[in-house]
Amino acid sequence: MRFSDARLEGFREQLLSQQRVTEQLMADLGSDIRLIVEARHDSNVDDEHDPEGATIAFERSQTDALLKQSTQRLGEISAALRRIDLGTFGTCVNCGQQIAVARLDARAYAATCIDCAR
Ligand SMILES: [Zn+2]
């Protein structure tokens, strides 16, 4: 066993709190998107040619990108929580090497070692 139970619990706590933060962010982004859609509806503009419409479209795509990123992060977090349960937490899913502890401290959801992440 590479990590003590207490250490693993620490990582689990970290992952669970990141999960909560990410879910909250996604909820906020969801309401942002509704507001943007309403703004677009109200202004009734042509996206392509009206400068305001272009701004709204840009904001929408930024928000969509963040939402996508958050969805991906949530997947990484729940996979990491599963690895804790399975006892494989801290092992690179790609090459099987141990992931540096500093990397796990910075991002407990990391599934691969730094070499494989490159
Ligand atoms: Zn690796």
Side-chain angles (χ1 to χ4, degrees):
M1 198 65 183
R2 185 181 175 207
F3 291 114
S4 67
D5 286 352
R7 194 77 162 95
L8 280 176
E9 278 315 301
F11 282 122
R12 192 197 300 275
E13 280 305 305
Q14 197 184 328
L15 286 162
L16 288 173
S17 91
Q18 280 170 351
Q19 194 173 45
R20 279 192 296 272
V21 169
T22 309
E23 281 168 353
Q24 184 57 51
L25 175 69
M26 288 181 75
D28 292 347
L29 288 172
S31 32
D32 280 357
I33 288 181
R34 272 196 301 281
L35 288 177
I36 293 167
V37 170
E38 280 164 23
R40 178 185 295 188
H41 185 74
D42 288 347
S43 57
N44 201 19
V45 289
D46 179 345
D47 274 7
E48 301 298 318
H49 304 105
D50 185 286
E52 193 188 346
T55 304
I56 291 170
F58 177 72
E59 282 173 4
R60 176 75 204 258
S61 72
Q62 293 281 92
T63 308
D64 280 349
L66 264 175
L67 208 51
K68 219 179 202 170
Q69 214 173 63
S70 303
T71 307
Q72 195 196 339
R73 176 60 39 81
L74 277 183
E76 290 170 342
I77 290 170
S78 62
L81 287 168
R82 244 191 332 270
R83 288 195 298 277
I84 290 180
D85 291 336
L86 294 172
T88 60
F89 180 80
T91 303
C92 175
V93 298
N94 190 49
C95 72
Q97 301 278 0
Q98 295 194 338
I99 301 171
V101 176
R103 176 166 165 76
L104 291 171
D105 279 335
R107 39 174 78 192
Y109 53 82
T112 58
C113 67
I114 192 80
D115 289 332
C116 291
R118 282 196 186 112

